[in-house]
Amino acid sequence: MEGILNILKPPGMTSHDVVAFLRRTLGIHKIGHCGTLDPQAAGVLPVCLGQATKLADYLAGGEKTYYCEMKLGYETDTQDIWGSVTAVYPPLQPDLTPDPAIIQQALRSLEGEILQEAPAYSAVKRDGKSLHRYAREGKPVTGIMRKAFVYSLTLVGAGEGVLRFVVRCGGGTYVRMLCRDLGRILQTGAVMSFLLRLRVGPFLLEDSVTLEEILQRKDADPAFLPAVLSPKERALRHLPSLAAKEDEVIRLRQGQSLWLAAPADEAPEGNLPGLQSLPADTGMKIWVKDEMQRLAALGTCTPGLGSQENQYLFKPDKTFH
């Protein structure tokens, strides 16, 4: 069995718990999740099976959308309501909620490329050791800054000391740290109180399946799993691609670099947007498909010059059979 399952992770389970459940239930060992969700969070968790596990990094680092609720008035060591209180803020007004115009200004200030502190309770590593391990030993590590990108922060509700918003962001963004930073900008303090992941790349909440559905229907309905299992190629729709002939695919799978051309009926600029304007020594991540439109290789592509203009040198990083 190979492909990607769009799982609706329930609160109370870690992402590793979901993988362990599926290994037991499906009898498949080669399974990996794409982008960790905090144990108390719920929502979309793409899980890769078989060769699709090679794509986990591509999905985990892609664009994501979340619905979040944050509670104003205090901070905790975990930046959510399940942590220990570290600071309490005096109320600005009876229900703690700032003026909507002030909230909008705060949201705008966190859009675009930002520097975000890695949470003390996170999988980010220092000296080969995860920060959450330091924190659990009573030696929390703070002040590690990382770049993140927030495409949009949209307010959907405010009142009684709670803000609700939808955030569209790049991979590696910590929503609970956005809550903390918003609270500090608003001078109210804040912690995340609810998080639901709505989308990971092309995988949407409305198309997800629960673990209970898989457990109950995998044997009773033989058509169920094939129907909900997405081909691995779906995870790469955001990347440009080139087609290769059968003999070229064989060489790529042997790890060889090849010159490839865009199909004659397709403009190179349309098939590989932006590649024509790249310097000759600059590459772009693309995938190569075989004559049946199946993923053959992932790698880096650079444009040719002179007699090799409109051709592309492809160097495979990962190959697929």
Side-chain angles (χ1 to χ4, degrees):
M1 189 178 296
E2 177 180 286
I4 302 172
L5 283 172
N6 180 6
I7 299 296
L8 173 54
K9 188 191 91 65
M13 290 184 76
T14 68
S15 301
H16 292 296
D17 289 340
V18 172
V19 169
F21 174 91
L22 290 172
R23 283 177 178 158
R24 292 193 306 270
T25 303
L26 302 179
I28 299 174
H29 178 72
K30 199 171 184 180
I31 300 179
H33 63 79
C34 306
T36 302
L37 262 179
D38 289 343
Q40 300 303 329
V44 172
L45 181 69
V47 176
C48 298
L49 282 61
Q51 285 194 98
T53 54
K54 296 181 182 181
L55 304 177
D57 291 344
Y58 285 80
L59 270 172
E63 187 179 311
K64 301 175 177 69
T65 303
Y66 298 87
Y67 167 80
C68 178
E69 294 182 1
M70 58 182 255
K71 192 171 182 180
L72 305 178
Y74 65 100
E75 293 182 1
T76 67
D77 56 353
T78 57
Q79 293 79 47
D80 56 35
I81 61 172
W82 299 280
S84 300
V85 175
T86 57
V88 177
Y89 286 68
L92 297 179
Q93 52 193 43
D95 74 348
L96 287 173
T97 310
D99 181 89
I102 295 175
I103 297 173
Q104 291 289 358
Q105 186 177 4
L107 293 172
R108 296 292 82 78
S109 71
L110 289 174
E111 291 181 335
E113 186 175 85
I114 61 173
L115 274 177
Q116 190 176 59
E117 184 178 6
Y121 286 86
S122 71
V124 175
K125 292 185 177 181
R126 180 182 179 183
D127 298 329
K129 185 175 176 180
S130 298
L131 297 189
H132 66 78
R133 292 181 60 187
Y134 288 105
R136 290 188 172 91
E137 292 170 359
K139 306 171 185 176
V141 176
T142 59
I144 297 179
M145 306 303 292
R146 294 154 51 102
K147 287 184 179 179
F149 199 92
V150 177
Y151 296 96
S152 63
L153 276 165
T154 305
L155 185 68
V156 295
E160 298 182 353
V162 175
L163 300 187
R164 302 170 185 86
F165 61 87
V166 172
V167 55
R168 188 167 63 90
C169 57
T173 306
Y174 285 94
V175 180
R176 51 196 162 104
M177 296 307 289
L178 286 178
C179 292
R180 188 205 69 170
D181 293 344
L182 276 169
R184 290 183 176 181
I185 293 170
L186 295 169
Q187 300 180 31
T188 62
V191 292
M192 187 179 75
S193 55
F194 179 77
L195 185 67
L196 177 65
R197 187 150 68 187
L198 305 175
R199 181 175 68 92
V200 175
F203 298 97
L204 307 177
L205 181 66
E206 52 263 38
D207 300 325
S208 62
V209 294
T210 66
L211 299 178
E212 289 79 6
E213 285 180 280
I214 291 175
L215 182 62
Q216 294 170 6
R217 298 182 60 182
K218 72 178 183 71
D219 296 324
D221 182 3
F224 173 69
L225 273 177
V228 298
L229 191 65
S230 295
K232 57 185 180 294
E233 290 78 9
R234 186 181 179 193
L236 302 172
R237 288 180 182 174
H238 65 292
L239 292 178
S241 65
L242 279 175
K245 298 176 182 178
E246 184 177 353
D247 62 315
E248 293 172 328
V249 169
I250 293 173
R251 293 167 62 191
L252 286 174
R253 286 175 175 156
Q254 293 171 344
Q256 297 182 36
S257 298
L258 289 181
W259 286 98
L260 299 172
D265 59 347
E266 292 185 36
E269 294 84 357
N271 194 44
L272 296 172
L275 190 55
Q276 288 291 302
S277 62
L278 290 177
D281 61 348
T282 303
M284 172 184 282
K285 288 291 183 183
I286 74 161
W287 61 287
V288 173
K289 53 194 173 185
D290 63 17
E291 293 175 325
M292 296 182 67
Q293 306 299 304
R294 297 173 303 192
L295 171 62
L298 275 166
T300 305
C301 197
T302 53
L305 298 173
S307 62
Q308 291 174 315
E309 189 176 0
N310 295 330
Q311 289 191 319
Y312 309 94
L313 179 61
F314 177 77
K315 297 182 178 181
D317 297 328
K318 299 180 180 182
T319 59
F320 299 79
H321 297 279

